[in-house]
Each structure stands twice: as C-alpha cells, then as structure tokens.
Amino acid sequence: MDGSKGLEALGAEARKFISSPKKILIDGEWVNSTSGETFEIYNPATGQVVAHAQSGSKEDVNAAVAAARRAFDDHSEWRKMSPSNRGKLLHRIGDLILKHQDELAQLESLDNGKPVVVAKVADVALAADIFHYMAGWTTKADGGVLDLSVPFTPGTEYHAYTKREPIGVVGQIIPWNFPILMAAWKLAPALACGCTVVLKPAEETPLTALRLAELIQEAGLPKGVLNVVTGFGETTGAPLASHPGVDKVAFTGSTEVGKLIVKAAANDLKKLTLELGGKSPNIILNDADLSKAIPGAASAIFFNQGQTCSAGSRLFIQDKVYDEVVAGIAAYAKGLKMGPGLDPSTQLGPLVSQNQFDRVSGYMAAGKTEGASLATGGGRWGNEGYFVEPTVIINAADSAKVVQEEIFGPVLVATRFSDVDDELVRRANDSVYGLAAGIWSQDVSKIHKLVPRLRAGTVWVNCYNIFDASMPFGGYKQSGWGREMGHQVLNNYLETKAVCIAY
C-alpha cells in the first residue's frame, strides 16, 4: 500500500519525523528493541501503513526499569536537582510543546484520526498547560511540623515533622484516544514530584509520545529519568505492570484492562492509580437553554469521535423538550463535516483502528437487534478508513447493551424522563461507572439538588468536556482510583514520611 496517501497536508517537521526510524528510549539513548521486531502504525483515515515502531519485550522493560532505578538513586543528577530547577525544566517542556504545536497536532491527527484543528487547540495546548501548571508545584510539595503530646513519656520532648518524598520508579501506561495529552497528564506530575518513569504508549498511537520524549530530552531531562518502550499490552504493558522494580503503576484505559493491571500489581502491592471507563449521564431539563444544550449535548458525545471516557453517551431529556432535543441533535450530527483528520475543514474524523470500527459497528447492530430505533446514523461513512456515522439511538430499554456498556464511539442513546425525582437519579446512576455527568438547566435550585446525588467524579453544568490543569479528574465506582490534574494528583506520586526526634 502507498502509505504516503493523505499525507500531503503534513508540514516539513512532521514529514521528517514520520520518515525517521522509530526507536525506544532507554537510559537516554534511542535504541532498537531487543528482538528487533517492529509493528505497523496505520493512518485511520485510509487504513494504510505510515510508519513502523519497535515492538518492546520483557527484556526491554527490564532495561528501562533498571535505567529508571539508577536515575532515581540518591546520588543521581535528578535527585540532586533542586525543586526550583526541576520546575524550570518542566516549564521548558511546556514551552517546547507550544513551539512545536503545529507539528505535534499533525502527528496526533495522523496517529489517532482526530481533526487537526481540535488537536492543536485542545490536545496539544492542554499538554503544554499541564507541564506549565505542574512546574509551579515542584517547590510546594511541603511537609509540616507536628506538635506532639505523648502522655507515656513524661519529661521527654520531641521535634516531629513530615516530609513528602517521590514514590520512586513509576510505570505509566497510556491509551490511544488522547495520546499526547494522556502522556502529559501522566508525565508532568510524576516529574514534578521527582519520580522516574517508564512510559508505555498505546500500540495504536505511539507517534506523539515518541516525539514528546525527544522534546523532553531537548529540555535537558537527565538520562534515565524518562524511558519510553513501545509495544503491545501482553508483551510490554504486562511486564511493566508486574515488574518488581516498579514502585507504582499509573494506567488510563478500559476498565477491563484496569482489572488486569490490579492483578498484575497485586503480587508486590505496588501503588496504583487507574483512570478507566465511563457511561456518563447527561441530563437536559425542560427549562434548559436549548440553544446551548443541544449543541452542548451533541459535542459531549461526538467530540473526539466519541472516543472519550467521559463522553455524555446516555442523554436523559425531560418530556416537554424531548422531541425538539432529539431532532436538534440529529440535525447537528447530519451537519458535521466528516473526513480525514489532517483536512482543516474536518469536524469528525475516523475511529482509531479497524478493531474499534468493528466494536462500534457491533454495538450499533446490537441496538437494532434489541429493539431500539435510529434517529440518525447507524452505518459506515465512506469506503475507506475507519469512519462511522454520528449516531443517535432512541427507544432503547435501560437494560440494553447500548445503554449499559461503554461503546467508545460517536453513538448517543437518548431517553426521556418526566420528573426530576428519585427515579431520574436512580436511572442516571444505574451504571457500573461513575466518571462524569452533565446537567442542563437554568434553575439553580434544581442544579444544586442534583449535583450531590450524581455518583460521578466530575459534574459539568451547562457545559461539557471542560478540562483545566487545576481541576482534578477521575471517577467513582469502576471508573477508577485516584485523580489526574489539580494539586490532588501529587498524592499519586508522593509518599509521606513522618520523622520524630527525641531531645
């Protein structure tokens, strides 16, 4: 196949990177995998091979962990670096991301399929922002002095205090839906806290993680602090999650794989944070401003081709506005400009892979089999690549697969409700997940009554998919453990040491 098809829009920097050999980063050096084996990277818009990446193995993971352990040693350059200088280094990384914003957006679009315009203003910009934000926390991970009162040691005084220390070597496994942003969400706080990292990108989308690692090297990160091993879950991710030299694993991905990560980490009880799946309820009340709620609810599911863990995939619409909202979202879906992500006019790109295309198509077929109807969409778009039509499903039972299971595609299930009551709350919370939720209303009283009753880590009101480096993100129930971003994320990468000195 001619892998150059569809790449005409790439700039010179992106073309240079695509044509260069893709290697893995271990101890500051770019090397081939131990086996010498590679795997193919596909353009989701055409299904054609555009590059090859190294297929890492257990041996490569062992070498990467050993390098990270050496870099974490007490006498290493990294451990001796002052928090202030560490912050300056992180800020330089953010600056370099912005300097290469166009290149990174093009690589992200090519790798994942998402619209290049969105990749530039959202994914890449937010990746830079998290490094800039975390740069400010390097000098603020403070302990405190304790005033002890110990009744069983009369006459003895104590000086007691706490220290916050980096947790150690961290294995980070990131997904394919927001490759550069998820890498940044993981790396920035870990580096801010002084940890060392072995990063495993998703095999579908390794390009921007590799380019980001080059920029991080350019910023001056000491060798061995960041190691990047590309490969598959079974041969690279699993050895990393179970490695005895890894102190902590941070994973973003499906709940099913998250459970495997828990089992892999159980043998030595390594620390874990997990950001997993979602099936988020989005609620539109009768009094909502529909000029904002309709496009907002549409964007909540169609953004990033629906490949978003927090996607508002279950839409609850109150009776009086149900027909208008369904018709409005269906019209919005039909009006979306579909095409290759590298086309600046594209609003909805392809899914990431053939596997994901088959998965989403299977769910759309299951919806029909279970008796649901289509307000729009439901099929393939075009005759090449991994495109599916933006789809709105109606009349599905609450027990249907399309309502209960995460589809991870541009597929919305819309249902009606009558009253803002216990039954609505029960239905909204009727999921094993608890990542996000949305409310659209102009009634402040109803909003404040609903927010605490929704079992979700984030509740957006009259907006959706708003992210900021200062706002923690994570889920209840099977949507995961811990939080990304905000000052709360520092707890993922720090240990607390209590010190007590008698005098």
Side-chain angles (χ1 to χ4, degrees):
M1 292 186 292
D2 179 12
S4 65
K5 181 181 178 183
L7 306 188
E8 299 83 4
L10 290 179
E13 287 185 319
R15 284 178 179 273
K16 179 181 178 181
F17 180 77
I18 286 295
S19 62
S20 66
K22 307 297 175 293
K23 299 189 176 186
I24 58 179
L25 178 62
I26 297 179
D27 205 18
E29 301 293 331
W30 291 97
V31 298
N32 291 326
S33 62
T34 303
S35 67
E37 296 179 359
T38 63
F39 61 91
E40 297 172 327
I41 303 170
Y42 295 89
N43 178 355
T46 63
Q48 295 177 331
V49 176
V50 294
H52 292 79
Q54 298 295 314
S55 186
S57 64
K58 183 177 181 179
E59 289 73 21
D60 299 307
V61 171
N62 288 342
V65 172
R69 179 58 61 189
R70 288 192 296 272
F72 188 72
D73 182 81
D74 285 345
H75 303 293
S76 71
E77 178 185 357
W78 180 239
R79 292 300 296 278
K80 291 178 180 178
M81 185 180 294
S82 71
S84 178
N85 284 337
R86 201 162 65 238
K88 292 174 184 176
L89 192 154
L90 262 67
H91 209 278
R92 285 199 297 274
I93 295 171
D95 289 346
L96 284 169
I97 292 171
L98 292 180
K99 180 180 177 181
H100 294 269
Q101 192 168 9
D102 288 330
E103 175 197 358
L104 291 168
Q106 290 173 359
L107 292 174
E108 192 79 332
S109 178
L110 176 63
D111 217 7
N112 169 274
K114 66 180 64 191
V116 66
V117 174
V118 175
K120 180 177 179 179
V121 301
D123 303 59
V124 179
L126 289 173
D129 191 51
I130 192 71
F131 277 101
H132 285 150
Y133 174 81
M134 286 296 160
W137 279 108
T138 60
T139 57
K140 300 173 183 65
D142 299 327
V145 177
L146 306 175
D147 185 11
L148 300 189
S149 175
V150 185
F152 52 83
T153 57
T156 303
E157 296 185 60
Y158 301 92
H159 174 57
Y161 60 95
T162 59
K163 286 173 55 67
R164 305 301 304 279
E165 298 180 343
I167 202 167
V169 176
V170 181
Q172 299 185 325
I173 303 173
I174 58 173
W176 46 256
N177 57 336
F178 294 93
I180 191 170
L181 184 56
M182 293 299 99
W185 277 18
K186 291 287 187 286
L187 291 173
L191 297 178
C193 292
C195 297
T196 58
V197 177
V198 178
L199 178 71
K200 190 272 181 196
E203 58 265 30
E204 295 89 350
T205 55
L207 293 179
T208 47
L210 294 172
R211 185 66 181 111
L212 176 61
E214 290 182 349
L215 295 178
I216 290 175
Q217 281 189 302
E218 183 180 336
L221 192 73
K223 70 175 187 177
V225 176
L226 171 61
N227 306 270
V228 183
V229 183
T230 54
F232 295 89
E234 297 83 356
T235 54
T236 309
L240 180 59
S242 62
H243 200 290
V246 170
D247 299 299
K248 187 257 169 58
V249 173
F251 171 77
T252 295
S254 71
T255 294
E256 291 75 18
V257 175
K259 292 176 181 179
L260 297 177
I261 298 288
V262 172
K263 292 178 181 178
N267 187 56
D268 52 5
L269 297 178
K270 57 172 57 71
K271 305 292 192 300
L272 289 178
T273 50
L274 305 169
E275 199 270 278
L276 307 176
K279 192 71 178 177
S280 300
N282 200 6
I283 304 168
I284 298 180
L285 275 58
N286 285 334
D287 65 89
D289 180 348
L290 298 189
S291 69
K292 297 178 180 178
I294 289 173
S299 177
I301 182 62
F302 300 138
F303 173 67
N304 205 50
Q305 295 70 250
Q307 298 169 139
T308 307
C309 52
S310 58
S313 53
R314 292 187 294 140
L315 185 62
F316 295 88
I317 312 166
Q318 202 162 9
D319 276 335
K320 290 181 181 179
V321 296
Y322 177 83
D323 291 336
E324 183 178 355
V325 170
V326 169
I329 293 178
Y332 183 102
K334 292 174 183 176
L336 286 171
K337 170 73 164 56
M338 298 189 68
L342 288 172
D343 182 342
S345 68
T346 292
Q347 296 172 302
L348 191 72
L351 299 178
V352 72
S353 67
Q354 183 68 51
N355 286 342
Q356 192 62 15
F357 175 87
D358 293 341
R359 172 187 171 89
V360 173
S361 299
Y363 273 107
M364 293 190 296
K368 298 174 187 176
T369 301
E370 291 182 311
S373 307
L374 290 172
T376 190
R380 179 174 191 148
W381 183 87
N383 54 18
E384 69 174 358
Y386 312 129
F387 294 89
V388 299
E389 297 173 321
T391 298
V392 179
I393 295 176
I394 56 176
N395 302 322
D398 283 357
S399 60
K401 286 180 63 176
V402 291
V403 176
Q404 289 296 321
E405 298 180 17
E406 185 176 37
I407 299 172
F408 227 60
V411 181
L412 176 68
V413 181
T415 186
R416 68 172 72 226
F417 70 93
S418 298
D419 299 308
V420 183
D421 56 11
D422 291 346
E423 178 63 11
L424 170 64
V425 172
R426 184 198 65 77
R427 293 177 68 198
N429 290 332
D430 183 20
S431 172
V432 299
Y433 302 109
L435 190 56
I439 302 170
W440 300 84
S441 172
Q442 298 181 82
D443 188 321
V444 174
S445 176
K446 290 178 180 177
I447 291 168
H448 282 298
K449 288 177 181 177
L450 268 177
V451 165
R453 301 191 68 188
L454 296 176
R455 299 281 294 162
T458 298
V459 180
W460 286 293
V461 180
N462 295 325
C463 60
Y464 208 93
N465 279 334
I466 301 301
F467 298 96
D468 186 85
S470 65
M471 191 167 73
F473 181 76
Y476 291 20
K477 298 187 279 186
Q478 292 188 35
S479 286
W481 298 343
R483 293 293 182 268
E484 307 280 357
M485 300 194 296
H487 73 268
Q488 288 90 341
V489 74
L490 302 178
N491 294 325
N492 295 350
Y493 299 104
L494 291 170
E495 294 277 23
T496 298
K497 176 179 287 183
V499 181
C500 182
I501 303 171
Y503 64 93

